[in-house]
Amino acid sequence: GEMDLQILSKIRARYPRATINNEVVEPSADQIAKYKERVAQASNLENIKFTWHKETAYEYESRMIAENKTKKWDFIHMIQMLYYVKDVPATIRYFHSLLESQAKLLIILVSGKSGWETLWEKYGSSFPLEDLCSYVSSGDLPRMLDSAGLKYQLYELPSHMDITSCFIEGDKDGELLLDFLTETLDFAKTAPPELKRQLIEELRKPGCSENRDGKVFFNNNLGVMVIEP
């Protein structure tokens, strides 16, 4: 809910008297609980109605279709979300169909020019993914959006992440960062030694990172797509 509340504060500032219906589609009960805690602690939420749906995007779509419901929206966002759907183009098409005539659909993913793209391209098949997670970046979206005939603008959002501790053997923060970068629990302890060596080496290269003042900064750039109705 952190990003939602920031977005809502901007909308409130622009349209102070508007009543806002904010519906959340989130399959994790833990994340919903954290979101509700934020709302309970926040101020200036008058005229905002929150509704939480504990379901995936596909479950939401299936339920709405089964109930023969069509709800239109002025703004829909998918921030760092499309990695977790089975059919990315179909998900985009469905939620795009829910836009009002002057609405916007916002999608944010890691950039196709980021270090993530390099890692996924070279080592994605070696990471033992146990959860549902697709290697999709903003570089994949134009082809999908063009084939669907959708109009959009694409922006690059610069972002860098200090991963210097990844190169310090036994460093706890470094090991957690490696888990995050590979989406593999205890990667430093469980990965085949040669895979770990290659990955550590790759993380230092310009395709992934840049060196500044003795530190290594991972290219964490994001791709932002604003899609028209």
Side-chain angles (χ1 to χ4, degrees):
E2 183 178 357
M3 291 307 301
D4 275 29
L5 291 181
Q6 287 191 39
I7 291 169
L8 287 167
S9 71
K10 298 289 186 183
I11 296 172
R12 280 290 305 273
R14 183 78 177 269
Y15 306 103
R17 294 181 179 83
T19 298
I20 300 171
N21 291 313
N22 187 67
E23 293 207 10
V24 182
V25 179
E26 168 59 63
S28 168
D30 182 52
Q31 291 298 322
I32 289 176
K34 288 177 179 176
Y35 193 152
K36 288 181 176 179
E37 284 177 20
R38 282 188 180 276
V39 169
Q41 294 166 5
S43 58
N44 299 321
L45 297 181
E46 300 84 10
N47 299 333
I48 301 179
K49 179 187 176 184
F50 292 89
T51 307
W52 289 272
H53 302 284
K54 185 183 174 299
E55 54 194 352
T56 64
Y58 179 73
E59 288 167 345
Y60 175 86
E61 176 183 347
S62 300
R63 178 173 61 80
M64 295 297 279
I65 292 172
E67 295 174 2
N68 200 25
K69 290 181 179 177
T70 303
K71 213 169 190 178
K72 295 286 188 174
W73 298 95
D74 296 307
F75 180 68
I76 299 173
H77 76 73
M78 300 175 178
I79 298 177
Q80 301 285 37
M81 168 267 190
L82 286 175
Y83 318 113
Y84 306 105
V85 304
K86 289 181 179 178
D87 190 332
V88 174
T91 299
I92 293 173
R93 283 197 303 271
Y94 172 71
F95 285 96
H96 176 266
S97 74
L98 305 184
L99 294 179
E100 289 280 13
S101 59
Q102 300 297 315
K104 296 287 186 289
L105 169 61
L106 172 70
I107 297 176
I108 298 180
L109 292 168
V110 296
S111 169
K113 301 174 183 177
S114 69
W116 293 102
E117 183 81 352
T118 302
L119 279 188
W120 291 346
E121 189 177 306
K122 292 190 175 182
Y123 298 102
S125 60
S126 301
F127 299 154
L129 289 179
E130 295 174 356
D131 59 348
L132 170 65
C133 183
S134 303
Y135 292 132
V136 59
S137 74
S138 67
D140 301 309
L141 266 290
R143 171 180 50 82
M144 298 179 190
L145 299 177
D146 290 341
S147 66
L150 302 183
K151 294 181 292 183
Y152 60 92
Q153 292 88 44
L154 178 60
Y155 306 92
E156 192 85 358
L157 193 63
S159 174
H160 287 85
M161 179 168 58
D162 186 347
I163 61 167
T164 310
S165 57
C166 287
F167 308 100
I168 304 171
E169 189 68 36
D171 186 279
K172 289 184 179 179
D173 287 341
E175 290 182 354
L176 287 172
L177 275 170
L178 283 173
D179 288 0
F180 176 62
L181 290 165
T182 62
E183 299 209 12
T184 305
L185 186 63
D186 295 325
F187 177 84
K189 296 184 175 69
T190 62
E194 182 58 18
L195 174 62
K196 180 183 174 184
R197 184 194 68 75
Q198 289 180 12
L199 186 94
I200 293 290
E201 189 176 293
E202 191 69 42
L203 284 173
R204 288 186 181 276
K205 293 180 180 178
C208 281
S209 307
E210 63 178 87
N211 293 276
R212 294 201 309 263
D213 302 321
K215 292 186 175 183
V216 182
F217 291 91
F218 184 75
N219 181 333
N220 190 51
N221 285 5
L222 300 171
V224 179
M225 281 133 287
V226 181
I227 304 175
E228 307 291 335

